[in-house]
Amino acid sequence: MTEREALGRRRRVVAGVVASLLVLGPLAWFWWTSLVPANASVMDMGYPDTGGGPTATTGPHGHGTTDGPTVSVAELTGPSAGVPDVDVTLTAESGPVTVGGRTMPGFTLNGSSPGPTIDAQVGDLVQVTLVNRSVADGTTLHWHGVDVPNAEDGVAGVTQDAVPVGGSHVYRFVVDHPGTYWYHSHQVSHAQVRGGLFGVLVVHPVADDHAAEVVAAVHRYGSTPTVDGSTDDLRTDAAPGDRVRVRVVNTGSGVLRAWVPGAPFRLLAVDGRDLHEPGPVDAQAVVLAGGGRADLEVTVPDDGTSVRVRLGSLSVVVGPSGDAPDGDDPRTYLDLLSYGTPTDVGFDPRAVDRRFTYAIGRRPGFVDGRPGLQWTINGHTYPDVPMFVVSEGDVVRMTLRNTSGQAHPMHLHGHHLLVLSRDGTPSTGSPWWADSLELAAGQTYEVAFVADNPGVWMDHCHNLPHAQQGLVAHLAYTGVTDPYVLGGESDNAPE
Ligand code: C2O
Ligand code: CU
């Protein structure tokens, strides 16, 4: 080999190494930065997005702090004094659940799944003592749709530590909006909720003029659909002419369609908020997002037959007999943008203090070191996701956009979103308040809310496997600090 040849070869080797480094270096860097630190505060996660509002200074503990006074999430509790009007103990266990005569591994509360339905009256102080008897990963309870004070929100690693086996935790909050809600674990939720660690919470209005009501929680254990834990249809007795409220809860990750074959009905409420002047609906289905609720009003016919509410493949049959007309999904859907009539919403959604975009996309990359096709939020992958920063009293606008090719039921904790428009079509019906908003592939929603509940709040996809894959961001109020960490001694893992 001549000296020239040797030099040429050395150059090629160097070039090859440089080329590999150019490829592998960034790859290694992306891998490295995708790792979720073992004891991370969500306050140090990602980057602050102040939405055009005052910039929060980033103190030692994150994006939500300012130079002014601070308050810890742990201090943002419900009333600590006062005798509760509703006092329930829920004991969580890891153990078999029986579904349609078959037994499968899962989770129970007080020995059953779903756990007991909690009934409260509007204005009640509710106290729930969660006891973890045997859920090895630890557990919590989140009050889905109830805009509780932050410390009562039940999110492991954000608002509390997961409750270990042998431990307990007391939740106390006042329920100030009548409606249909549910509760579920927010520790390793993709496994615990799907395995049955949930129940229904009903907040009854002062006066309800319905002759009867039914709670219908639709859940899939494995691939088996159930209503209130049963694989059979529900039957509720009611007399001819009775108006009955059916409280439908979708505990699943995908949409649930509800319809009433051969009879008109009314949609009274969505996500724990009454609709204004809801009219009769005929031959249209109601679409419930994952985590969403809908209160349907049906009227028992005068001829001795019953009325049927179809919930996917299952039914609730209401009336004096088992004889009720049936029919397939009408495949036309009630559009809440134009249902009911407008009324005051209590704030001016045009007087915007902060404006955010929550754009969901998808691209190859790493999340926590795992390669794959990842969900992105504003182009970023978890944990490098935005922290939406607000101040108490702000009117907040958010654009929810979905170019990821899949649907996402978006759930903001602690607040209800007022829907302003979908794909440019404005809301002209009843005010539509949602806590679980189905964002179908390709859709864009414009929503607004008032930042009136200080704390650190999850804002995530309620398709729980998606959340576990990193479709999670948070909303933090300036001046609020968070003492909890993901991981840590309690192994906090909200998703
Ligand atoms: Cu139904 Cu973040 O929860
Ligand atoms: Cu999703």
Side-chain angles (χ1 to χ4, degrees), residues 9-342:
R9 174 188 280 184
R10 222 175 305 136
R11 277 199 183 134
R12 280 196 297 280
V13 169
V14 169
V17 168
V18 168
S20 314
L21 281 178
L22 281 176
V23 173
L24 290 178
L27 216 55
W29 188 81
F30 283 129
W31 177 82
W32 174 252
T33 56
S34 84
L35 295 178
V36 180
N39 299 294
S41 167
V42 297
M43 306 298 281
D44 297 326
M45 187 184 277
Y47 60 95
D49 179 345
T50 58
T55 313
T57 57
T58 307
H61 250 279
H63 315 315
T65 59
T66 61
D67 297 330
T70 62
V71 60
S72 163
V73 165
E75 298 169 67
L76 297 169
T77 65
S80 54
V83 180
D85 303 291
V86 175
D87 190 351
V88 184
T89 296
L90 295 176
T91 301
E93 287 182 275
S94 174
V97 291
T98 304
V99 179
R102 282 193 310 125
T103 294
M104 54 178 80
F107 300 93
T108 57
L109 287 156
N110 296 1
S112 72
S113 176
T117 293
I118 300 174
D119 285 289
Q121 296 286 325
V122 66
D124 279 357
L125 173 60
V126 174
Q127 175 174 308
V128 178
T129 304
L130 167 66
V131 177
N132 181 0
R133 187 169 287 160
S134 60
V135 181
D137 285 333
T139 193
T140 66
L141 291 177
H142 166 61
W143 311 96
H144 186 119
V146 186
D147 298 331
V148 295
N150 196 221
E152 315 294 342
D153 200 40
V155 181
V158 181
T159 68
Q160 69 171 94
D161 284 323
V163 179
V165 173
S168 65
H169 186 94
V170 178
Y171 299 92
R172 285 169 64 94
F173 51 88
V174 173
V175 285
D176 47 17
H177 275 275
T180 308
Y181 306 95
W182 62 300
Y183 59 88
H184 63 77
S185 166
H186 225 306
Q187 162 76 354
V188 196
S189 63
H190 73 280
Q192 292 186 12
V193 180
R194 291 199 286 168
L197 216 164
F198 70 91
V200 175
L201 166 63
V202 176
V203 179
H204 296 274
V206 177
D208 195 342
D209 60 353
H210 291 89
E213 66 169 48
V214 196
V215 166
V218 178
H219 189 75
R220 268 176 201 276
Y221 294 86
S223 57
T224 308
T226 62
V227 54
D228 295 353
S230 164
T231 52
D232 296 327
D233 291 346
L234 283 185
R235 276 272 296 118
T236 297
D237 260 323
D242 278 357
R243 287 183 304 118
V244 176
R245 181 193 289 261
V246 181
R247 300 179 179 274
V248 184
V249 182
N250 179 12
T251 68
S253 289
V255 294
L256 172 70
R257 297 181 173 89
W259 69 97
V260 181
F265 67 98
R266 292 199 306 151
L267 180 59
L268 302 177
V270 166
D271 287 0
R273 292 294 180 273
D274 288 346
L275 295 169
H276 188 244
E277 297 184 334
V281 181
D282 216 346
Q284 285 183 318
V286 174
V287 176
L288 286 82
R293 287 88 58 218
D295 293 15
L296 275 61
E297 180 195 78
V298 292
T299 303
V300 181
D302 288 325
D303 62 1
T305 64
S306 294
V307 59
R308 179 188 301 270
V309 178
R310 278 284 298 269
L311 304 168
S313 58
L314 292 164
S315 301
V316 178
V317 175
V318 181
S321 70
D323 176 19
D326 201 355
D328 288 336
D329 185 346
R331 299 241 152 233
T332 59
Y333 303 112
L334 180 65
D335 191 350
L336 296 184
L337 282 180
S338 54
Y339 182 60
T341 62

